[in-house]
Amino acid sequence: MNTAGFDVFFLTMGAAMVLAMHAGFAFLEVGTVRKKNQVNALVRVITDFGFSTVAYFFVGFAVAYGINFFAPVSELNNLADLSNGYKMVHFFFLLTFAAAIPAIISGGVTERIRFWPNVLATVLLVGIIYPLFEGMIWNGNFGFQAWLESSFGAAFHDFAGSVVVHAMGGFLALGAVVLLGARKGRYSRSGRMMAILPSNIPFLALGSWILCVGWFGFNVMSAGTAEGASGLVAINSLLAMVGGLIAALIAGKNDPGFVHNGALAGLVAICAGSDIVHPIGALTIGAVAGVVFVFGFEFIQIKLKIDDVLGVIPLHGVCGAWGGIAAGIFGTVAMGGAGGVTFVSQLIGTVAGVAIAAAGGFVVYGVVKSTIGIRLSEEDEYMGADLAIHNISATPEQDMANH
């Protein structure tokens, strides 16, 4: 039986589910920012996806996998000796992962970043920086995985991108957020953090729910084929999500922002080992991630005074790194897992991803800042990015009535 067409359909549905997650990123950000920056959040997330598609199509996919699309359709339909245009839908699926990088970063830099410099950074990150590490881990480029396997008994295992996608996105955001500086009024002259309240908790919750649903496409469809799909990945994703939200509920003292992001923290952390850990291990991984997010958010904002608006550094960066390392603990046979992983390889692979992302973020945003600038003027920031950049607010009729 030829299953090629079914695999194409399977992966197309996965790509569509992850594409829908970008609506989740958008509404999570819209609900968290102030009303004067809601339109800008929506426009940046969707245009980042557009520019990511172009960058990944012409450059990034070739950097990671050595495949380009400069060939007749007859050849494109059978790239890598796979029929029914499988490699083209595989590109679509992996693109949605790549485009998650600027969507993650967006939550950290929102409310004060200039529009076109942000687009330039997106193109550089999705076209070059992210695919370099993606290719190292998921395509065996540069001999990194072979070295880990020969030296420590197993390659770095990251089934659905705890490190490749989430830790990369979170730690790329570190450079952007630090180089941008805090929003005006976030910290007093004495250094005390001042409250900037979210504009819409229901939108924030909607964003979280959309992401949670789409995540099952993100994780389960990472198998690549219908035959490879695993119920273990599904139940582990579910339990990690629940573990994260319950732990964040308790640690965050019923705060709705922590609860809804706690679910995402659990999902971030389970990506790497979702195909090998025991469901109880997944629940534990998610619960730890929920607590890590709550205390990590407070530490970064209050102690380090880094104005990471949505908490993407602790949520995606730190929880993603935890997920990479946790796969080397809970994925072992001794912990009830399927095996095939070693703690040392997981640790080295995670550290490598964090280091490349942190360096890449400072380099890319540093170059953009020093050449064309990345921050809105003080006047535009005070006015809000909606009016300053897009000449319209989220409630234009209401604004007209007020005038």
Side-chain angles (χ1 to χ4, degrees):
M1 179 182 174
N2 181 9
T3 61
F6 192 65
D7 287 339
V8 166
F9 178 76
F10 173 81
L11 210 54
T12 300
M13 291 300 97
M17 289 179 72
V18 186
L19 173 60
M21 289 175 69
H22 288 262
F25 283 120
F27 277 95
L28 191 70
E29 187 173 332
V30 166
T32 306
V33 301
R34 288 165 289 184
K35 186 178 285 188
K36 64 183 180 180
N37 296 302
Q38 289 181 325
V39 172
N40 180 248
L42 292 169
V43 174
R44 276 190 296 105
V45 170
I46 195 168
T47 54
D48 273 345
F49 188 88
F51 284 103
S52 294
T53 301
V54 174
Y56 199 64
F57 180 84
F58 285 105
V59 182
F61 196 64
V63 170
Y65 301 101
I67 294 173
N68 66 64
F69 300 101
F70 302 105
V73 168
S74 58
E75 293 180 27
L76 295 181
N77 280 328
N78 297 283
L79 281 174
D81 295 322
L82 297 168
S83 62
N84 292 65
Y86 179 85
K87 269 299 168 184
M88 289 189 283
V89 76
H90 193 216
F91 158 81
F92 179 19
F93 184 69
L94 291 171
L95 159 70
T96 59
F97 282 49
I101 297 295
I104 290 167
I105 296 169
S106 178
V109 301
T110 190
E111 297 206 291
R112 74 269 201 211
I113 194 162
R114 291 175 60 206
F115 189 82
W116 288 108
N118 178 69
V119 167
L120 175 59
T122 290
V123 169
L124 294 173
L125 294 177
V126 177
I128 301 171
I129 306 297
Y130 168 76
L132 283 173
F133 187 66
E134 178 190 16
M136 280 175 58
I137 303 305
W138 286 344
N139 198 48
N141 297 353
F142 309 118
F144 180 71
Q145 290 283 46
W147 170 72
L148 286 177
E149 189 167 5
S150 64
S151 302
F152 306 107
F156 176 63
H157 186 90
D158 190 357
F159 181 70
S162 283
V163 178
V164 173
V165 178
H166 296 286
M168 281 289 288
F171 283 101
L172 281 166
L174 175 64
V177 173
V178 169
L179 290 169
L180 266 175
R183 290 167 290 173
K184 298 295 181 185
R186 183 52 163 162
Y187 299 101
S188 67
R189 289 185 178 180
S190 64
R192 187 166 66 92
M193 188 177 79
M194 310 299 288
I196 297 181
L197 299 178
S199 61
N200 194 309
I201 296 297
F203 274 167
L204 184 157
L206 175 64
S208 174
W209 271 109
I210 294 171
L211 283 163
C212 286
V213 173
W215 221 292
F216 289 86
F218 198 97
N219 283 5
V220 175
M221 269 76 163
S222 284
T225 62
E227 186 178 0
S230 167
L232 179 66
V233 176
I235 194 172
N236 282 346
S237 301
L238 174 67
L239 288 172
M241 178 188 83
V242 169
L245 74 88
I246 292 174
L249 169 74
I250 297 168
K253 302 175 182 176
N254 302 339
D255 181 280
F258 284 141
V259 173
H260 287 91
N261 280 288
L264 306 181
L267 286 162
V268 164
I270 198 56
C271 288
S274 57
D275 63 327
I276 57 171
V277 305
H278 189 278
I280 296 173
L283 184 67
T284 306
I285 290 170
V288 171
V291 174
V292 165
F293 171 68
V294 171
F295 290 104
F297 183 89
E298 294 176 341
F299 178 76
I300 285 173
Q301 297 276 353
I302 298 171
K303 299 294 184 182
L304 299 183
K305 296 181 173 53
I306 295 174
D307 189 15
D308 173 9
V309 183
L310 268 67
V312 300
I313 299 167
L315 176 60
H316 296 275
V318 180
C319 290
W322 157 242
I325 294 168
I329 301 171
F330 293 93
T332 61
V333 175
M335 293 294 286
V341 289
T342 65
F343 177 77
V344 176
S345 289
Q346 292 305 114
L347 180 63
I348 293 173
T350 299
V351 170
V354 170
I356 290 170
F362 276 100
V363 169
V364 169
Y365 286 96
V367 168
V368 176
K369 179 180 180 179
S370 63
T371 53
I372 59 176
I374 56 172
R375 180 154 182 159
L376 288 175
S377 68
E378 189 168 345
E379 180 182 353
D380 285 348
E381 186 179 343
Y382 179 78
M383 181 194 308
D386 292 0
L387 293 177
I389 298 173
H390 308 289
N391 299 312
I392 194 167
S393 76
T395 55
E397 287 188 348
Q398 181 179 319
D399 294 341
M400 289 295 290
N402 292 338
H403 287 80

